Amino acid sequence: MWIEKLLDYNPVILALGATLFTWFLTALGAGMVFFFKSIKRKVLNSMLGFASGVMIAASFWSLLNPAIQMAEASGLVPWVPAVVGFLAGGAFLLAVDKILPHLHLGQPREKAEGIETSWKRSVLLVLAITLHNIPEGLAVGVAFGALANNPDAGMLAGAIALAIGIGLQNFPEGAAVSIPLRREGFSRLKAFNYGQMSGVVEPIAGVLGAYLVLTMEPLLPYALSFAAGAMIFVVVEELIPESQSGNETDLSTVGAIIGFATMMLLDVALG
């Protein structure tokens, strides 16, 4: 079976390949700027809602649940790594959010968060998306890194499902960056470059996550939970508020439900 053949590869290489895939889908979404100059608010809200649902489902099915099972199998108190890692992940993203200059979609330049800077609005928008791509890349990397100590086809399938789910929600995120930049007067090529650049951090975080798991096996349940906490922080801090702006909030909610169901289907069916 093809999936079993992948177990022969180094987990770091698999993590790199998976996160390059998620970056590719970010670039593919950013490429929509070559076909559209604007994006309707209801479409954007639906896409952001979908991304929220995917990340919430991935946080449990692909990260927290395996962390609890691994802790139990190792003789640890099952909830300790999950709770400690989850809170640490949220705290880490909170600290980064307070430090890294960034601007959420649809907000004026004066609403920029983080350390005060004179950086342009376009750079701050890209940094906002980049900020929540860090835990996504880390999550995929940790999931593949876990294969070093448990080279199981089911676990590999779960890691692949996670990469597919993250990739699916990266597509609308890429479009959500590039198309608004085009509307603000950027050339199509420049808007595309900014959009795809937001996903560059995922392969970096993915390889780092896989490598850390390989070198610190006992921390694996904590690492999985850490990634989950970081992802939930992004969902609550950025994606949900942005998807609920305007008058099309029902579409945002439906998008979130569909995203959750899609990720749950991928993880349960493949994993």
Side-chain angles (χ1 to χ4, degrees):
M1 187 176 180
W2 67 270
I3 200 167
E4 294 177 346
K5 292 181 180 179
L6 291 177
L7 292 172
D8 296 330
Y9 290 88
N10 187 298
V12 176
I13 299 299
L14 292 177
L16 176 61
T19 47
L20 285 174
F21 165 76
T22 61
W23 179 19
F24 169 74
L25 286 185
T26 302
L28 201 62
M32 292 297 100
V33 74
F34 293 109
F35 305 98
F36 305 99
K37 187 175 181 178
S38 62
I39 182 170
K40 293 183 178 180
R41 185 72 236 183
K42 63 181 180 180
V43 175
L44 180 59
N45 284 2
S46 299
M47 293 192 303
L48 292 174
F50 178 85
S52 300
V54 167
M55 291 181 70
I56 293 171
S59 295
F60 176 74
W61 293 102
S62 298
L63 298 171
L64 283 175
N65 192 44
I68 293 170
Q69 293 175 350
M70 289 177 187
E72 191 171 21
S74 301
L76 301 173
V77 179
W79 58 266
V80 171
V83 172
V84 172
F86 186 84
L87 293 177
F92 172 76
L93 256 290
L94 176 61
V96 175
D97 185 74
K98 295 296 184 183
I99 296 172
L100 182 70
H102 62 284
L103 178 66
H104 297 305
L105 293 171
Q107 297 294 320
R109 174 64 179 77
E110 54 270 20
K111 290 287 187 179
E113 299 179 8
I115 297 174
E116 290 189 15
T117 177
S118 59
W119 293 347
K120 294 182 179 179
R121 171 183 167 84
S122 56
V123 175
L124 295 174
L125 284 171
V126 173
L127 285 176
I129 301 297
T130 302
L131 175 62
H132 74 242
N133 280 342
I134 294 174
E136 293 172 11
L138 183 64
V140 174
V142 169
F144 278 95
L147 294 170
N149 306 306
N150 187 15
D152 177 74
M155 181 170 287
L156 173 58
I160 293 173
L162 176 61
I164 293 173
I166 295 297
L168 286 176
Q169 62 94 35
N170 275 358
F171 180 87
E173 286 182 358
V177 175
S178 63
I179 294 177
L181 290 179
R182 171 60 178 162
R183 190 173 61 247
E184 291 185 10
F186 285 74
S187 68
R188 294 185 189 274
L189 182 59
K190 191 171 184 178
F192 166 75
N193 284 332
Y194 273 117
Q196 63 86 22
M197 279 172 54
S198 66
V200 171
V201 70
E202 289 198 5
I204 299 172
V207 169
L208 178 62
Y211 177 76
L212 289 176
V213 168
L214 289 178
T215 56
M216 295 179 286
E217 177 185 350
L219 294 181
L220 179 55
Y222 292 92
L224 289 167
S225 303
F226 181 94
M231 287 176 65
I232 291 298
F233 178 90
V234 167
V235 171
V236 178
E237 169 73 9
E238 297 183 26
L239 294 181
I240 289 179
E242 289 168 12
S243 72
Q244 293 291 320
S245 62
N247 300 317
E248 306 293 344
T249 57
D250 286 346
L251 291 175
S252 309
T253 304
V254 171
I257 292 173
I258 293 175
F260 188 100
T262 300
M263 186 65 234
M264 180 170 60
L265 172 64
L266 284 171
D267 196 274
V268 176
L270 294 181

